[in-house]
Amino acid sequence: MGRHAGGGQPPAPWPRRLGRAVLRWAGRAALGAVTGAVVLVVLGWAGITGTSARALAAGAGVLVVVAAALAATVPAPAPHADGPPGPPPRGSAPGPRSDDR
């Protein structure tokens, strides 16, 4: 009964779900590592070296991983009933007008 009554598809086997999760987190970790490396290079170029540069680079990498994980929890936008939105009605868009006003 209700919206949960539909059979739907059964969940994927656990090895496939585990593989997807590992790939998802590996991508996030790679993005964080690249971000940390870029921050470390830029800080070295700016003359900031040593422990502070490594700490800032690690912080930036962790921040990117957390932000990517948080962004993955945002739901997809709802589809429009009539399809994608079209152009605005004539006369409401900025720009030159046909009657030179």
Side-chain angles (χ1 to χ4, degrees):
M1 298 200 102
R3 65 181 182 157
H4 298 290
Q9 294 180 346
W14 72 268
R16 184 171 290 157
R17 289 192 318 257
L18 179 64
R20 287 179 185 163
V22 167
L23 285 176
R24 188 169 38 247
W25 281 99
R28 292 173 187 160
L31 183 63
V34 168
T35 301
V38 168
V39 168
L40 190 61
V41 167
V42 168
L43 289 175
W45 177 61
I48 301 171
T49 58
T51 307
S52 59
R54 286 191 299 273
L56 289 170
V62 168
L63 181 67
V64 166
V65 171
V66 169
L70 183 62
T73 65
V74 176
H80 293 286
D82 300 329
R90 185 167 171 84
S92 66
R97 298 179 181 215
S98 60
D99 58 356
D100 294 329
R101 283 196 277 168

